[in-house]
Amino acid sequence: MTLVLFVLAALLLPLYPFSMAATALLQGGGTGGASVSALHAPAIKAALMLAAPVLGALLIMLGMSVSESRGHALLQIFAIWGGLTSMLYAFRMLSAKDAHIWLSHLYASALALIWVGAAHGVSPLLPALGLAASLLPLLFLLQTLTRQFGIARSGLYPGLGKRMPMFSLLFTAALLMAVAVPVSPGFFAVAELAFGGVSANELPTLIPISLSWLLWTWAGINLLTGIVFGRPREDLVYADIEQRRALAIGGAMLALAVLGILLMELVL
Amino acid sequence: MAISAYALPVLALLSALCTRLLWRRMGPNVAGISVGFSALILLLAVAMFATQLVTGGARTASLGMSLFTLQIDALSTLMALAVSGISLIVHVFSVRYMQDDPGYLRFFLLLDGVIAVILLMVMAGDLLTLLLAWHLLGVLLYFLLNHDSARASATRYAFWTLFTHRVGDLPLLAAIALLYHAYGTLSIPELFARVAESPGVTTVFGLPVTETAGLLVLFAAFAKSAQFPLHTWLPYTMEGPTPVSALMHAGIVNAGGFLINRFAPLFIHTDSVLQVAVVVGLVTTVMGSLMMLMQSDIKKALGYSTMGQMGYMVMECGLGAFSLAIYHLIAHGVFKATLFLGSGSIIGNARRDPNIPEGEIYKFMVERKAPKPPMSWVVFAGITIVVPLAIVFGAHQIVDQGFLHHQGAIILLLFGWITGAQTLFFVYKIAPDNPFKVLAYVVLSFGLVIMTYVLVGHAFDAMLYPDPAFREALYAAASINVTYFVVQIFVLVLLIAAGWLLIFRSEAAKEPLTRRYRGLYLGIYALMSREFYIADLYSRIGESLMAGSKRLNALMRWL
């Protein structure tokens, strides 16, 4: 029973190859237009991105409550699997130019780390929520890019910082939040997972957490370089983000930062 | 004091907010607000430092939560004073320097942001706030260095900086996690009290926690302070505006020295960690100084000079002279900021008129004429070797008669001796018309520098680590086996003296070693001019990883 619950959780806190379902879903609708199905609408995606990890975390907790000793033994294997999945996707993010692919890989890489923490006694719920919530502002901003340029892709329309300054500011902040820069909830989730790993006297568990975290930054800079920085093209028409939408996304990011601090206070 | 402590970073953030809000109304004049806030922060920092000098001790300020606690002690108030002083200079300089820049507003916003984060870092009273500020510093520095984001080279080298800083975040995260697990607290003063109570706690593989965490803290410091081989970001980030270079070389790069000092109570419970700092610091000093000599670009040469200085600062910590490292980083910060801020006008003036005065230095440096030595090489070699040694030894003897008991002090004395002797050797090499006059000037300047260094270093010692037992414990943690140490020093002194004698002799015989061993000399020259291929190696690794990632994605169909 515990194994079944954990395998189900591996679909929601994605472990390779189960993760392909989640990445395919998140990559869908990246080209925009009328063909976007309801499942690929950003609001639906956001709800799924939040609900799936929470459900996955609950399944892990349920699995542990069914049989703690068996659950603990299984979690050691799932933790290695999670660590490898996380590093695999973090590494693959380096060359992802399509921002939806990039985001889907980050989602898989970040949430796979939950297994590493869970194996060492970290309650999976809050870190899962923190990591998933940190990705949401970027998801909504990618929709803006897709609507305007037909595709959210690095290198196609560089230099947005010069043409769409408000959007670029928000995009940069959202991207930093996604790669778990302080004071995003993701940062505190990473800290919590790292502390949990060490608390079980397992210093080596820091390796996947640290490595993935480092690669996220690298991949994030690649995305910024191809979208926000560089010389803008003259043959395109640019329209900065509407003020109301900017305020909504900016406000949400501020709220997420406060949430991150509160999450840490809850855990400590 | 608690309110003042919080006011320091909050004022910097408030400055950024006001600058942003008033930009439309005031335009470029808004920079005046940022400068005003900087002056206010400096005044507050001066007041805090003065109060700290009077009251002494250490206090913690809290917002009633475990995060964002601040530590108010001699180290934090002194660092806040140094940071706010440099910040004001950089702000004032930037008002005109950045005047025509389209990113004027962004520059001041980021500058205020960086200052707020540095102030938070130096005042941090808990490990998580320290990590948070440590991490954010690298991120904000990236955006400052990438000010002209349309230039690919600015983006590329700013990324090098960010990546190295991120590499440095990871060992700090590990150290904090380890200490939190072992001692159950994130509060810095509480942690050190518990470490003192039970320093023998072990971790994975039975390793002592203090030793492991100490090593991790050192690694974190190495990345921020550009220690070899994590140094490449520093000399390559000259694409950023000059005030950013000044801030980086005068302030940000010193973060490593600060971190090591902050964890001093941990290091006294380590056995062999500080020796790692000595070795890495020494290698960085030598490499930085060597590569500095190869640069024709003044700012890049200054970059490598900073690397050398940072190596020396880390080495000082490794030798147990923790407070001396703080004095060094402040003194270096002041003179390096001056050099950077002045470099632009020097380059500009030199383009109009090289202005090299005719004389010995002109003949030697420009015409490459080897002058006739001013006196017998044996006499001059004697002066070169004996005089600086007497000055360095005498200055230490006046201030602290027991200094010879500390191995670290002897090594530093050795460095002082080498520096002084090298300066005197240069006098011999350029052979001035009046060698004794020049010699007297050099000896006098050297004596003054050494005396000031020793006196101020001693004052810093008393201020930062007032407990003599604690100071002794630091030197003890940095010490090695006495016999081994004596043999090492003896061999080292013999080698250095023999090297000088050899060079003096070959100079006198008009047969420089560089001519005698031409092949070897050119080989080393080529290696150094390519900066030991370290940057090339990193580039190659980066490209290979990117190619590997692409191949893997294609294989896995991007899912």
Side-chain angles (χ1 to χ4, degrees), chain A residues 166-185:
Chain A
M166 183 51 74
F167 170 82
S168 299
L169 177 67
L170 288 172
F171 186 82
T172 306
L175 192 127
L176 292 178
M177 188 163 259
V179 298
V181 162
V183 287
S184 78

Side-chain angles (χ1 to χ4, degrees), chain A residues 27 91-92 95 217 230 265, chain B residues 66-67 149 166 549 553 558-559:
Chain A
Q27 288 171 22
F91 181 60
R92 291 174 58 191
S95 58
T217 310
E265 283 299 311
Chain B
S66 45
L67 203 60
S149 59
R166 289 290 289 109
S549 169
N553 264 327
W558 301 91
L559 287 174

Side-chain angles (χ1 to χ4, degrees), chain A residues 7-258:
Chain A
V7 170
L8 280 175
L11 275 165
L12 302 165
L13 293 168
L15 295 181
Y16 191 82
F18 299 124
S19 51
M20 288 196 284
T23 52
L25 183 72
L26 288 176
Q27 288 171 22
T31 50
S35 64
V36 176
S37 71
L39 202 60
H40 295 144
I44 305 287
K45 268 190 194 176
L48 286 174
M49 280 168 77
L50 272 183
V54 170
L55 210 58
L58 290 174
L59 284 173
I60 293 178
M61 288 155 86
L62 190 63
M64 287 300 284
S65 67
V66 170
S67 168
E68 195 164 335
S69 57
R70 182 157 165 71
H72 189 73
L74 278 173
L75 271 181
Q76 303 308 313
I77 300 164
F78 275 75
I80 296 170
W81 191 0
L84 290 173
T85 299
S86 179
M87 289 190 290
L88 172 74
Y89 276 104
F91 181 60
R92 291 174 58 191
M93 279 169 73
L94 295 181
S95 58
K97 285 192 174 264
D98 183 296
H100 285 95
I101 293 177
W102 187 95
L103 188 67
S104 72
H105 285 182
L106 178 56
Y107 179 79
S109 176
L111 290 170
L113 286 178
I114 298 297
W115 291 98
V116 179
H120 300 110
V122 178
S123 172
L125 195 58
L126 290 182
L129 195 64
L131 285 169
S134 298
L135 305 179
L136 300 184
L138 190 61
L139 175 74
F140 285 100
L141 286 168
L142 291 187
Q143 187 205 12
T144 308
L145 275 186
T146 311
R147 250 193 294 172
Q148 188 164 161
F149 298 106
I151 188 168
R153 193 177 167 83
S154 163
L156 281 185
Y157 37 80
L160 290 192
K162 299 229 184 290
R163 294 288 181 267
M164 298 162 62
M166 183 51 74
F167 170 82
S168 299
L169 177 67
L170 288 172
F171 186 82
T172 306
L175 192 127
L176 292 178
M177 188 163 259
V179 298
V181 162
V183 287
S184 78
F187 170 76
F188 295 111
V190 167
E192 168 62 3
L193 291 172
F195 287 8
V198 174
S199 71
N201 242 0
E202 293 282 351
L203 206 55
T205 57
L206 285 177
I207 294 170
I209 297 173
S210 304
L211 208 59
S212 293
W213 197 22
L214 185 67
L215 291 173
W216 298 347
T217 310
W218 184 353
I221 295 301
N222 286 349
L223 204 62
L224 269 187
T225 305
I227 292 178
V228 174
F229 304 144
R231 289 186 197 285
R233 280 169 56 175
E234 297 301 331
D235 59 331
L236 294 175
V237 179
Y238 299 92
D240 208 347
I241 191 167
E242 310 95 64
Q243 200 170 7
R244 193 181 293 176
R245 192 172 161 81
L247 278 174
I249 294 179
M253 280 197 276
L254 215 59
L256 277 176
V258 174

Side-chain angles (χ1 to χ4, degrees), chain B residues 221 225 227 253-258 260-261 277 281 285 306-319 321-322 324-330 332 453:
Chain B
S225 285
Q227 298 299 293
V253 77
N254 294 321
F258 160 75
I260 298 173
N261 266 272
T285 307
T306 302
M307 179 187 161
Q309 296 283 344
M310 290 301 107
Y312 196 78
M313 181 189 73
V314 166
M315 198 181 66
E316 283 171 325
C317 291
L319 294 171
F322 276 55
L324 200 61
I326 293 290
Y327 169 52
H328 190 137
L329 72 85
I330 293 173
H332 170 256
Y453 197 77

